[in-house]
Amino acid sequence: MNKELLASAGIDYDEGVRRFMGNAPLFEKMLCKFLTDQSFSEARKSFESCEWQSFMRNVHTLKGLSGNLSINVIYHTASQIVSLLRADDIEGAKALFPSLEEEYGAVSKAIGLAAEADRR
């Protein structure tokens, strides 16, 4: 996978491979599986319906998943949102969600492009 493309979206490829004990093919496979995970779409649904417990649960899941995959940009924003929700600062969490949405889109696009380039 193209490390520079992934890095431009906030993914630390080398750190991710280290987390997978040097197994780059397994890391890349799991990055591609990130695209099918439903945590973000479920978080969006919860956000739109103001179901804050469900929103927190889904963002927390996304935080863990992105942390394990070294998708640092999403990890940091999701961490902030979880912290705000734990402090009952719903308005603060709501204000950060558009950033998370934008980051998720950029990360998903980068992973998709990198995977497509590898298939060629």
Side-chain angles (χ1 to χ4, degrees):
M1 288 188 134
N2 183 318
K3 290 182 187 183
E4 292 78 27
L5 176 60
L6 296 174
S8 72
I11 302 168
D12 188 330
Y13 183 92
D14 293 330
E15 178 184 305
V17 170
R18 278 192 299 279
R19 287 178 180 270
F20 283 77
M21 306 202 44
N23 189 336
L26 179 60
F27 172 66
E28 292 177 8
K29 180 180 178 180
M30 293 299 107
L31 269 182
C32 290
K33 283 190 171 264
F34 177 80
L35 300 177
T36 63
D37 180 77
Q38 297 300 306
S39 300
F40 181 78
S41 63
E42 291 299 318
R44 181 186 295 136
K45 286 180 197 173
S46 299
F47 179 83
E48 290 170 352
S49 61
C50 300
E51 296 173 12
W52 304 118
Q53 290 289 86
S54 178
F55 179 63
M56 181 164 157
R57 186 174 46 255
N58 286 297
V59 172
H60 188 271
T61 299
L62 184 63
K63 172 188 154 193
L65 179 60
S66 60
N68 287 332
L69 293 172
S70 298
I71 305 173
N72 297 329
V73 65
I74 290 176
Y75 174 79
H76 292 300
T77 304
S79 294
Q80 289 178 312
I81 290 172
V82 167
S83 292
L84 289 165
L85 290 170
R86 284 184 176 151
D88 292 323
D89 184 354
I90 292 172
E91 293 306 312
K94 286 167 63 174
L96 272 180
F97 187 69
S99 295
L100 183 65
E101 196 163 29
E102 184 178 313
E103 293 160 1
Y104 183 84
V107 163
S108 296
K109 182 177 179 181
I111 293 170
L113 289 171
E116 179 63 31
D118 281 357
R119 285 192 286 271
R120 291 184 193 156

